[in-house]
Amino acid sequence: MNYIVGLDFGTHQTKICIEDTTNVQPIYEFLEFTNSLNNTQSVILPSIVQINKDGRVSYGFVDTTKALCFVDNSTKPTKAENRYPLMEGLLPEPKYIQKPKEPQREKQVGYLAILASLLPESREHAAWRGRCQLIEQENQKLKQAWEHANSEIDRRNKERHASWELKQQEIDELYDLQLSEWEKSQQKKRPYRYRYFKQATFVSKQVWSHADVSPEIISIWYLTYVRFLLDQRLGKDSYLVRMGVPCAAMDLDAFTNRAYSLWYAAGELQELYVSLEDFLNASYEDLKLHTKYKNISYDETSNFDTRTEAQAGLFPVISNGKIQTPVNLLMDIGGGTTDIGVFHNLNGELKILETISIPKGLNFIFEEYQKKHQSLTLEDIQDKFSHGTLVRADIESSISTFIGEVQTAADKLASYLILLMRNNQNLEAGRITDALAKDYLVYCGGGSLYEKIRNVKVSCMDFRNTRYRVTLFTEKRVVDKSLIGIRNIRNRSIPKELFTILATSYGLSLADNWQIEEASNIQNTLGIYVPKEERTNVPERNDDD
């Protein structure tokens, strides 16, 4: 094969990097797509399929004015229930201690009564009076306790009411906003435009809301369009396609079969329509009639291959030696998934230890936001997000939820690796975490362009004091042109920030000379791990590179 095509089929956009192997030194090129709307070229093709008014289908850069539209029939929002809290009843007045009867005195008359009144009080009567005074004091305490208890009950009831009233105000405000957004949606027509078909095909069908066609069928049409573009640029049967798939390393075989089934079906459709012009002139109904999707086993002799997206993201980072710390974490935050890979680098020996894929990416953030703004589609939220017009508190809450999910997965992966290292080395776990704390967390993918989304902190239990946690991979870097060190590139005008997004497609196009360690061998690989302060002959990173 003269070319290796790295196909990063993304949830929001697709990127393609071509390695030209006909030269002694490979030359790389990011395929440029024509945006006919403004006559510009872009290395990013939106993952969009649209049905037009004339019944034909458009791909990538679509003209919304030509879209076939429908009236939004979304359900009118309902106000959330806010039950009034149960209130505590006031306590009844306590039963007071009864005073004893006054002792009876012998009744005197005349001068004897006068004389008796001048005599000191009898011992019995004095005792009675003292007892009455004690009872009066006890009753006073009972009354004060009763009044204090009722005062506390009244205070708690007022707090419950105030909390309910505040929540009711929030519910009312949210409902008014949702109702306003819903009423606006009823006044406009929505285009027949398909997005998130890649995520629905590989990760979760929950993002797919189209009953007329499956995400697999839309994915096949989109990939057929890509195949035509590649044939135009490189020539038919002159290239090998390597597609990234969102999965853990252990699941690669199953996902490879799914990816190959899509690519194979796209090839059959390409053979049917022969030319790109015929394909673009085909009607929606005609495409549905002729598109066949079935699960087939991967053919190793085909011009098709796969890698996990995390593996692909790691290749360009480790290929030029700019990350020299021994065990590092790469986090590829995409539209539908976040892929995490751990790679080992010691004295020039490079190995990928493990990769995992979390079915949560930018769309998860949008879905969390949508829970509070149900009248908005994911497409609406994505557009508002890109323009910074979402409700700030709600989008920050959604991002926080996403970060929590990713941190949990990354923490588990890090703890697993530390336990393997501790069991396989004559080093205490505390020394291992001390060293890992100085290693790198490398970000790539579209989500990494947003600083708030990069606020992931990987941690594990502090083995010296199990009541606390210690932060790992505190050195942070975002993949850019300098970090991946791409040379011999044909494209001359790619903005630097785009290389964060393009890194995976570049990694897919690289020749296979990187060792991927099986999970069963991780213990042996980590057995040679040495903390940073004990390493020798490892060059430090040059920040000027």
Side-chain angles (χ1 to χ4, degrees):
M1 291 294 158
N2 295 330
Y3 306 97
I4 297 177
V5 174
L7 174 56
D8 183 7
F9 176 26
T11 297
H12 292 160
Q13 61 254 330
T14 293
K15 293 76 62 181
I16 295 176
C17 184
I18 303 167
E19 181 187 64
D20 183 349
T21 60
T22 59
N23 298 285
V24 176
Q25 290 292 331
I27 299 176
Y28 296 92
E29 174 188 354
F30 291 98
L31 187 62
E32 296 187 354
F33 308 95
T34 301
N35 183 350
S36 59
L37 303 178
N38 55 16
N39 294 317
T40 59
Q41 297 292 112
S42 173
V43 293
I44 291 176
L45 181 69
S47 296
I48 298 175
V49 174
Q50 175 181 285
I51 304 175
N52 298 318
K53 295 173 184 177
D54 61 5
R56 293 184 294 180
V57 182
S58 297
Y59 306 89
F61 298 101
V62 297
D63 187 347
T64 56
T65 63
K66 296 181 179 179
L68 180 66
C69 296
F70 64 95
V71 177
D72 189 344
N73 59 355
S74 59
T75 305
K76 184 178 180 180
T78 56
K79 185 180 292 189
E81 183 180 4
N82 183 26
R83 292 184 179 180
Y84 194 77
L86 292 174
M87 297 294 182
E88 298 180 65
L90 295 177
L91 298 175
E93 190 169 358
K95 293 182 179 180
Y96 299 113
I97 303 172
Q98 296 295 320
K99 295 178 181 179
K101 292 183 179 180
E102 183 179 359
Q104 295 292 326
R105 296 182 180 181
E106 186 177 349
K107 192 172 183 180
Q108 304 290 340
V109 295
Y111 75 92
L112 292 176
I114 296 172
L115 181 62
S117 65
L118 297 175
L119 295 174
E121 189 175 39
S122 68
R123 183 177 299 174
E124 181 184 13
H125 206 272
W128 167 81
R129 190 176 300 283
R131 176 63 177 160
C132 286
Q133 290 176 350
L134 290 174
I135 290 175
E136 183 67 27
Q137 292 173 2
E138 289 299 318
N139 284 341
Q140 188 64 29
K141 291 179 182 178
L142 286 173
K143 184 176 182 181
Q144 290 175 351
W146 168 69
E147 289 176 343
H148 176 73
N150 275 344
S151 175
E152 285 297 301
I153 291 173
D154 185 58
R155 179 186 61 78
R156 290 195 296 269
N157 284 341
K158 288 179 179 179
E159 286 180 353
R160 291 188 183 98
H161 176 79
S163 178
W164 172 86
E165 199 170 45
L166 180 62
K167 185 177 179 181
Q168 187 63 43
Q169 182 180 351
E170 292 174 352
I171 289 174
D172 291 342
E173 291 175 354
L174 177 59
Y175 174 73
D176 291 342
L177 178 61
Q178 291 175 338
L179 184 62
S180 174
E181 291 173 346
W182 178 81
E183 289 173 344
K184 290 178 182 178
S185 72
Q186 300 305 296
Q187 299 170 8
K188 64 180 181 180
K189 294 182 178 180
R190 294 192 178 276
Y192 273 102
R193 188 180 302 138
Y194 303 97
R195 288 185 173 184
Y196 317 128
F197 42 87
K198 185 260 188 170
Q199 182 182 358
T201 298
F202 285 95
V203 182
S204 171
K205 289 265 192 312
Q206 292 182 353
V207 297
W208 195 251
S209 58
H210 307 281
D212 57 316
V213 64
S214 72
E216 289 84 1
I217 296 299
I218 298 298
S219 294
I220 291 169
W221 296 355
Y222 186 84
L223 291 174
T224 303
Y225 178 69
V226 169
R227 289 186 68 131
F228 274 117
L229 295 181
L230 287 173
D231 282 359
Q232 282 186 343
R233 175 67 185 84
L234 304 176
K236 193 174 179 64
D237 298 327
S238 66
Y239 55 88
L240 179 145
V241 169
R242 185 175 295 122
M243 181 191 293
V245 288
C247 68
M250 67 180 68
D251 300 321
L252 182 58
D253 288 344
F255 277 75
T256 295
N257 288 337
R258 188 177 304 176
Y260 180 68
S261 298
L262 295 172
W263 190 253
Y264 183 86
E268 289 188 322
L269 201 61
Q270 184 183 19
E271 292 294 328
L272 177 66
Y273 287 100
V274 182
S275 70
L276 177 59
E277 183 180 4
D278 289 343
F279 177 67
L280 294 178
N281 282 327
S283 69
Y284 168 76
E285 295 298 336
D286 190 50
L287 286 169
K288 281 184 65 175
L289 179 65
H290 291 102
T291 305
K292 308 297 181 185
Y293 172 73
K294 59 182 179 181
N295 290 311
I296 58 178
S297 298
Y298 170 59
D299 180 3
E300 293 184 1
T301 65
S302 66
N303 297 337
F304 183 82
D305 195 7
T306 62
R307 290 290 181 272
T308 72
E309 291 177 351
Q311 289 170 353
L314 287 170
F315 288 152
V317 175
I318 64 180
S319 64
N320 55 63
K322 288 197 174 183
I323 296 291
Q324 294 291 344
T325 46
V327 179
N328 304 279
L329 210 68
L330 178 129
M331 195 168 290
D332 181 356
I333 305 174
T337 61
T338 295
D339 302 292
I340 303 175
V342 182
F343 63 99
H344 178 271
N345 175 15
L346 184 64
N347 294 332
E349 184 180 8
L350 304 170
K351 293 181 181 180
I352 295 175
L353 303 181
E354 183 62 287
T355 62
I356 62 172
S357 184
I358 307 166
K360 294 177 175 65
L362 283 173
N363 271 13
F364 174 79
I365 296 174
F366 301 154
E367 289 163 9
E368 287 295 301
Y369 185 89
Q370 192 181 44
K371 291 177 181 178
K372 296 182 179 180
H373 303 269
Q374 297 177 6
S375 61
L376 294 177
T377 66
L378 289 180
E379 185 177 343
D380 293 334
I381 297 170
Q382 181 183 341
D383 291 339
K384 288 176 176 288
F385 180 74
S386 62
H387 291 93
T389 57
L390 294 174
V391 178
R392 182 177 177 180
D394 292 343
I395 191 60
E396 288 183 353
S397 173
S398 301
I399 291 173
S400 178
T401 302
F402 167 76
I403 289 175
E405 295 275 350
V406 173
Q407 281 184 174
T408 299
D411 289 352
K412 289 180 179 178
L413 178 59
S415 298
Y416 166 68
L417 291 171
I418 289 169
L419 288 174
L420 290 180
M421 296 162 74
R422 185 178 66 170
N423 294 337
N424 214 39
Q425 288 185 237
N426 190 21
L427 286 173
E428 62 172 332
R431 294 184 67 191
I432 297 174
T433 56
D434 287 347
L436 289 180
K438 304 170 187 176
D439 290 340
Y440 277 94
L441 169 55
V442 183
Y443 287 99
C444 69
S448 299
L449 294 175
Y450 304 97
E451 184 177 357
K452 289 184 178 179
I453 298 178
R454 297 198 306 267
N455 194 28
V456 177
K457 295 180 180 178
V458 184
S459 66
C460 72
M461 178 181 67
D462 187 343
F463 291 91
R464 294 189 179 97
N465 189 338
T466 56
R467 292 180 300 171
Y468 300 99
R469 297 184 68 81
V470 58
T471 302
L472 309 174
F473 307 107
T474 56
E475 297 288 337
K476 305 289 180 69
R477 290 206 68 177
V478 179
V479 170
D480 53 20
K481 186 177 181 180
S482 172
L483 185 58
I484 63 178
I486 186 170
R487 298 181 177 89
N488 301 326
I489 178 173
R490 285 198 173 99
N491 311 78
R492 297 300 179 187
S493 58
I494 299 177
K496 288 184 178 180
E497 62 272 13
L498 281 187
F499 283 92
T500 303
I501 302 174
L502 297 172
T504 298
S505 64
Y506 171 55
L508 287 165
S509 72
L510 293 176
D512 284 336
N513 56 354
W514 306 111
Q515 184 176 359
I516 302 172
E517 192 76 358
E518 295 293 335
S520 60
N521 296 328
I522 289 179
Q523 294 188 37
N524 297 329
T525 301
L526 293 177
I528 61 172
Y529 179 83
V530 179
K532 187 174 183 180
E533 61 271 16
E534 299 180 13
R535 297 198 308 274
T536 59
N537 301 322
V538 180
E540 294 294 327
R541 177 178 68 87
N542 185 353
D543 290 327
D544 295 330
D545 288 348

